Amino acid sequence: MAVSITMFAALILSVFAFGSIAETIDYQAFVHVLKHLPPAAIGWSILATMVSFAALIGRDVTAVRYVGAQLPRLAPIVAGFCGTALGNAAGFGTLTGAAVRYRIYGAVGVQSQDIARLLLFIAAGYALGLTGFGGLAALLEAKSVAHLLGWPTALLSILSGAALVCVAALVLFGLRKPIHLGGFCLPAPPKELAAIQLGLSGIRLVSAAAALWVLLPGGSSNFFSFAAIFSAATALGAVSNLPGGIGVFEAVVFWAFGRAGAADQIAAALLAYRGIYYAMPLIVSAALLAVFEVRFAIGSQQSAAADERLVLAAARLAPRFIGVIAFATGIMLLVSGATPTFGHRLAILSMRLPLWVVETSHFLGSLLGIVFLFVARGLFERRDGAWWIAITIATASLCLSLTKGLAYGEAGFLAIVLTLLITTRRQFDRPASMLGQAFTLGWFATVGLIVIGATAIFLVAFRTADYTTHDLWWEFEFDAQAPRALRALLGAAVLATAIGFWQLLRPPKGLAPRPDADALGHAARIINEQDRSQAMMAMMGDKSLLFSDSGNAFIMYGKRGRSWIALFDPVGPVEDWHELITRFVTLAASHGGRAAFYQVRPETLRHYLDAGLSVMKLGEEACVQVASFELRGRAAAHLRYALKRGERDGLTFELLAPHQMAPVVDDLADISAAWLRSRRTEEKGFSIAAFEPGYLGSQMIALVRQHEVPVAFSTIMTTQSRKEASIGLMRHTPGASSYAMEFLFTQLIDHLKRMHYQTLSLGVAPLSGVLPAPLSSRWHWLGAVIWRYGTPFYNFRGLRAFKDKFNPVWEPRYLAASGTLGPFVTLADAAGLIGLNFKGSRRYWRGA
């Protein structure tokens, strides 16, 4: 949410900043400058861009060395180049680039923790490089930069020198000890690697600045003065979270150099820079991924296994790049419809085509621009329906670009889009209709701002038109370009509004039916054929079940409001997961809902990233390594004391098989009822086990008696593989010994060890490990605050401390959800599902 607010605030400020700038731009002069940019300047800009991206790739190579990973040589090239290209174009540069790198590096065997360290190393190097490069440039040209900024020269020199000293001190003296961020440790990099990373960041920034500087009109400034302003503009653009800092970056450049050159010349240089440094790498990246897709489709067996995994992972990234390009195509068509056509091209058309063809082509081209903006979302989500629509409208737009004004450049770009769509066809494998897709409020707001931006461009391009006369709307002539553009803009605005109203009239939200006895029996068979014991939560019967086409896997899920929330990863063979996840996301979207997966494991995140979902950390799960569990040594002293104290208090332990529960079921019910009364609560559901005799009857029961009276118990979820066990329900009476639960778990672990189990899950500690870090989202900062100050509302720290007594390995658990704000809304809806009173049906359990 904070990111979205930052984006919109930055965008609104940019609009106001450009309000005064637009008045000084002469559109015809702007077009003339753009058409007559020196070829040498364009060539130097392209060369500088190539050097900059080579440095970016070098940063990834250095980061791979830092984490000590052995990878195919192509991996850092693809991750560094494609990740940066997508981050520049799509916004959220760090997060988007991180998602690409996670997918690439994860596919070739790099562990999640090492990927996180790699990303932090790159981000820290970039931040230091930006600070050092900007400080050095400002210090070298303090007088010129101070004049541009309107600051005192002495103040700028002091600030620049301080920045350089801080960077130098940090590199030379501050990288000696590991950096601890909560439970995460970032080892101190060797000085030579830190220096290389800093140098590569500097080369990247120098080259990026040079790519724009060579395009600016001569005499605007010397390079070092410009580089200082460029660094400030880049930093502000990154903070704004807008794609490539668009608007913010331009506003800063105009503010600093507007008096040194004509506004139309600066605008032309900025537009050319955007095309060279942002659009070209994005298209090259998409083309590279398309080549990987073709290679994968051909089925080359000449590469090693790691190379094959890299090719597959790269190919699976293609829809993200195609979606960004489709969105950019929509913007291009809207702007094209709002600006005049070259007069000599219209003259050629007037001799070959009737007027109604030109008018219709211009109008339909803008409408298709709006369609592209919405189709882009479907392409992100790999929808095959979106792919078919994109192919159709790209073909139509290519033809219309020629018939509306012989727009050869526009047609060439659309030809590239068509080629990319055709070559990546297999990656759009979700059998989902575009018409069943839901759009977020943020998406509509973005489309609305783009329409407003196109309108602003129209007003600049046709500044001399008389908008007070009603006849303007009804002028139909070859040279009546203002009326034509005005009608096209109005049509685009009406279509965008109509789609918005159509979204308000979505079909019914859909139901999440309870499973019947047959479905539960089917699920029970699948559960017992795999190792994940927590899958037994499906047998509570309070969650709906979605089975794969093969019938060998299923998803358990609940629904609240518009949130469709799957609990855990899919249950069953991994080869069925892709189809199941795709179907679930499609099912939620077809009813105007948002899909989410609750408490998924780190090694499975790639499946959800491929499905276009956002990921956030929920907490950490305590997993006791039963096979290596020992009661000897200082670390287990408190557990030995709990056993001795429990024996003095008259505690005894027994582990009951499911068929042994009947004689004690009434005692268990009494313990459960007493526990609920003492907590002044009722049975929960969804991810929390509830007391239901049928459910309990399918599990082992760990029972503790005090002086022969049952006082505490826990249910143990297992499968037939007998590898993993999980705690389900745990209850005790208010009068039980204060050591009853420690006694129970210690005895249980010892018994499971003798039964040759490998692990015991004690459950998730919410918000454990959700701590702020340089690449953290706002959720991590909020989670850290709740963890620190939320004890009066929930005993977060106490729960973690209790489970820590058994020396577990803490494994992260995540939420994967769709939409920008979807994860936050989903968390609230998940809490609502958990808080619902459990209303099971005993016939389900008997049937299972």
Side-chain angles (χ1 to χ4, degrees):
M1 182 180 296
V3 171
S4 298
I5 293 172
T6 302
M7 285 180 62
F8 285 115
L11 195 55
I12 291 171
L13 289 173
S14 299
V15 170
F16 280 110
F18 272 105
S20 58
I21 296 172
E23 297 178 357
T24 65
I25 296 177
D26 184 316
Y27 179 77
Q28 297 300 329
F30 162 77
V31 172
H32 178 79
V33 172
L34 193 61
K35 288 178 62 178
H36 294 87
L37 280 173
I42 295 175
W44 282 113
S45 182
I46 293 174
L47 179 60
T49 298
M50 294 171 62
V51 172
S52 181
F53 273 82
L56 288 166
I57 294 170
R59 290 194 316 170
D60 272 71
V61 173
T62 306
V64 168
R65 287 181 57 191
Y66 164 66
V67 298
Q70 298 296 322
L71 305 178
R73 293 181 179 179
L74 197 58
I77 297 175
V78 176
F81 185 84
C82 296
T84 304
L86 183 63
N88 285 348
F92 304 94
T94 302
L95 298 179
T96 310
V100 172
R101 287 180 172 91
Y102 184 94
R103 189 71 182 89
I104 294 295
Y105 291 131
V108 293
V110 183
Q111 299 298 314
S112 298
Q113 294 281 20
D114 285 335
I115 297 176
R117 294 186 179 97
L118 181 149
L119 294 174
L120 285 169
F121 183 65
I122 291 174
Y126 177 66
L128 288 176
L130 184 61
T131 304
F133 172 63
L136 177 62
L139 191 61
L140 291 175
E141 292 291 335
K143 186 175 181 180
S144 300
V145 176
H147 175 70
L148 289 170
L149 297 177
W151 290 7
T153 304
L155 175 62
L156 182 64
S157 298
I158 292 172
L159 293 176
S160 302
L164 280 174
V165 169
C166 289
V167 171
L170 187 59
V171 172
L172 294 175
F173 308 109
L175 300 177
R176 297 180 178 179
K177 296 181 179 180
I179 301 172
H180 294 277
L181 303 169
F184 186 79
C185 177
L186 185 66
K191 288 184 179 179
E192 59 272 15
L193 283 185
I196 292 172
Q197 185 74 194
L198 188 61
L200 288 171
S201 295
I203 294 172
R204 184 260 192 199
L205 289 164
V206 169
S207 302
L212 174 56
W213 183 70
V214 296
L215 297 170
L216 287 169
S220 296
S221 66
N222 64 57
F223 179 72
F224 287 105
S225 298
F226 170 77
I229 302 299
F230 180 90
S231 300
T234 301
L236 290 173
V239 171
S240 73
N241 288 310
L242 292 169
I246 191 167
V248 176
F249 179 86
E250 281 78 3
V252 174
V253 173
F254 265 111
W255 171 70
F257 299 105
R259 291 168 293 181
D264 46 48
Q265 293 178 316
I266 295 176
L270 286 168
L271 182 60
Y273 172 72
R274 287 289 182 184
I276 293 171
Y277 196 84
Y278 290 84
M280 283 181 57
L282 180 67
I283 294 172
V284 171
S285 296
L288 177 63
L289 299 182
V291 170
F292 281 126
E293 168 59 21
V294 172
R295 177 181 169 185
F296 180 73
I298 293 174
S300 173
Q301 301 297 324
Q302 299 177 356
S303 56
D307 289 330
E308 292 173 1
R309 293 196 301 270
L310 172 62
V311 169
L312 176 58
R316 293 293 290 172
L317 286 170
R320 298 189 183 197
F321 289 79
I322 302 297
V324 173
I325 292 173
F327 199 84
T329 303
I331 297 174
M332 177 189 71
L333 293 176
L334 275 179
V335 173
S336 175
T339 53
T341 305
F342 295 125
H344 66 281
R345 295 182 182 179
L346 269 181
I348 295 173
L349 285 177
S350 66
M351 294 185 291
R352 288 170 172 78
L353 294 175
L355 176 61
W356 68 266
V357 174
V358 177
E359 291 281 357
T360 303
S361 300
H362 200 101
F363 187 79
L364 292 178
S366 294
L367 296 188
L368 293 182
I370 290 292
V371 177
F372 258 118
L373 295 179
F374 288 102
V375 166
R377 181 175 175 84
L379 294 174
F380 279 129
E381 297 178 355
R382 304 177 180 276
R383 292 172 173 259
D384 62 349
W387 184 89
W388 282 109
I389 294 177
I391 279 285
T392 303
I393 62 176
T395 304
S397 297
L398 192 154
C399 298
L400 293 174
S401 66
L402 297 175
T403 56
K404 74 180 182 181
L406 298 178
Y408 300 120
E410 186 177 305
F413 183 81
L414 287 163
I416 294 174
V417 173
L418 272 171
T419 303
L420 293 174
L421 283 167
I422 292 170
T423 53
T424 58
R425 170 66 184 97
R426 294 190 328 132
Q427 296 303 328
F428 298 92
D429 51 7
R430 283 186 57 195
S433 168
M434 268 295 299
L435 299 178
Q437 180 176 232
F439 294 93
T440 63
L441 177 62
W443 199 276
F444 280 109
T446 302
V447 172
L449 287 170
I450 290 171
V451 173
I452 293 172
T455 303
I457 293 173
F458 164 81
L459 294 174
V460 171
F462 297 101
R463 182 176 295 151
T464 59
D466 184 5
Y467 302 107
T468 60
T469 174
H470 296 292
D471 295 337
L472 184 67
W473 292 92
W474 310 111
E475 288 186 29
F476 294 92
E477 300 290 344
F478 272 103
D479 60 351
Q481 297 203 60
R484 189 178 302 134
L486 190 59
R487 289 189 292 267
L489 268 178
L490 177 63
V494 169
L495 179 60
T497 304
I499 294 175
F501 278 113
W502 173 70
Q503 282 286 307
L504 294 176
L505 304 175
R506 297 289 298 163
K509 294 181 179 178
L511 300 175
R514 294 286 184 92
D516 57 20
D518 291 338
L520 286 171
H522 186 185
R525 290 190 292 273
I526 295 173
I527 292 169
N528 280 315
E529 292 173 356
Q530 52 88 61
D531 299 334
R532 300 299 189 193
S533 56
Q534 288 179 328
M536 284 294 296
M537 292 292 293
M539 307 311 296
M540 283 178 57
D542 66 331
K543 292 170 281 290
S544 302
L545 302 178
L546 178 67
F547 291 92
S548 64
D549 288 339
S550 67
N552 296 327
F554 71 90
I555 284 174
M556 63 182 105
Y557 69 94
K559 179 182 175 297
R560 182 178 174 84
R562 291 183 55 222
S563 296
W564 297 62
I565 308 174
L567 181 60
F568 309 132
D569 295 303
V571 181
V574 175
E575 52 266 27
D576 285 1
W577 285 22
H578 174 68
E579 177 252 320
L580 254 181
I581 292 171
T582 297
R583 281 181 53 204
F584 182 70
V585 174
T586 302
L587 177 65
S590 66
H591 293 289
R594 63 182 71 85
F597 291 80
Y598 189 72
Q599 291 191 21
V600 298
R601 298 171 182 250
E603 61 268 24
T604 66
L605 290 182
R606 60 185 179 87
H607 297 285
Y608 309 108
L609 293 173
D610 282 347
L613 304 182
S614 302
V615 175
M616 65 165 55
K617 190 174 182 180
L618 292 175
E620 294 176 321
E621 184 173 330
C623 299
V624 178
Q625 304 304 300
V626 173
S628 59
F629 182 79
E630 293 289 346
L631 284 173
R632 296 191 296 269
R634 179 179 299 180
H638 56 287
L639 298 181
R640 294 195 300 271
Y641 178 79
L643 291 177
K644 293 179 181 178
R645 178 62 184 269
E647 291 172 356
R648 289 204 302 268
D649 290 345
L651 300 182
T652 57
F653 175 87
E654 55 185 313
L655 186 61
L656 306 176
H659 67 274
Q660 297 174 306
M661 189 191 75
V664 298
V665 66
D666 290 336
D667 294 322
L668 301 181
D670 291 341
I671 295 172
S672 179
W675 186 87
L676 291 172
R677 285 194 300 272
S678 68
R679 297 296 191 279
R680 297 182 180 180
T681 186
E682 296 179 324
E683 293 286 6
K684 306 297 183 184
F686 191 60
S687 64
I688 296 181
F691 187 92
E692 208 289 334
Y695 172 52
L696 270 62
S698 62
Q699 304 171 51
M700 293 190 294
I701 305 293
L703 178 65
V704 168
R705 301 175 188 266
Q706 188 168 355
H707 302 302
E708 303 302 321
V709 177
V711 295
F713 75 92
S714 177
T715 63
I716 316 301
M717 298 184 289
T718 62
T719 69
Q720 290 181 355
S721 70
R722 299 171 70 89
K723 291 182 179 180
E724 178 184 282
S726 297
I727 298 296
L729 200 65
M730 45 185 179
R731 305 267 164 100
H732 61 84
T733 60
S737 167
S738 59
Y739 289 88
M741 298 310 292
E742 288 181 62
F743 181 86
L744 184 154
F745 287 135
T746 306
Q747 290 279 16
L748 171 63
I749 295 169
D750 186 57
H751 277 69
L752 291 176
K753 183 176 182 178
R754 281 181 271 154
M755 296 169 69
H756 304 294
Y757 279 86
Q758 296 178 4
T759 60
L760 170 66
S761 169
L762 301 180
V764 171
L767 299 182
S768 174
V770 182
L771 300 175
L775 291 181
S776 298
S777 67
R778 297 298 185 271
W779 159 249
H780 285 76
W781 293 95
L782 177 61
V785 172
I786 297 175
W787 172 267
R788 185 172 183 178
Y789 300 108
T791 301
F793 307 98
Y794 187 89
N795 192 14
F796 294 101
R797 294 187 176 188
L799 182 61
R800 165 100 187 199
F802 175 77
K803 294 179 180 182
D804 251 338
K805 294 179 180 180
F806 304 94
N807 304 314
V809 173
W810 289 96
E811 297 182 358
R813 294 294 178 261
Y814 297 89
L815 171 72
S818 58
T820 303
L821 301 181
F824 300 98
V825 179
T826 300
L827 281 176
D829 287 334
L833 284 173
I834 293 170
L836 289 175
N837 291 344
F838 176 76
K839 297 178 181 178
S841 175
R842 186 169 298 189
R843 69 175 183 275
Y844 291 157
W845 322 123
R846 300 310 182 197

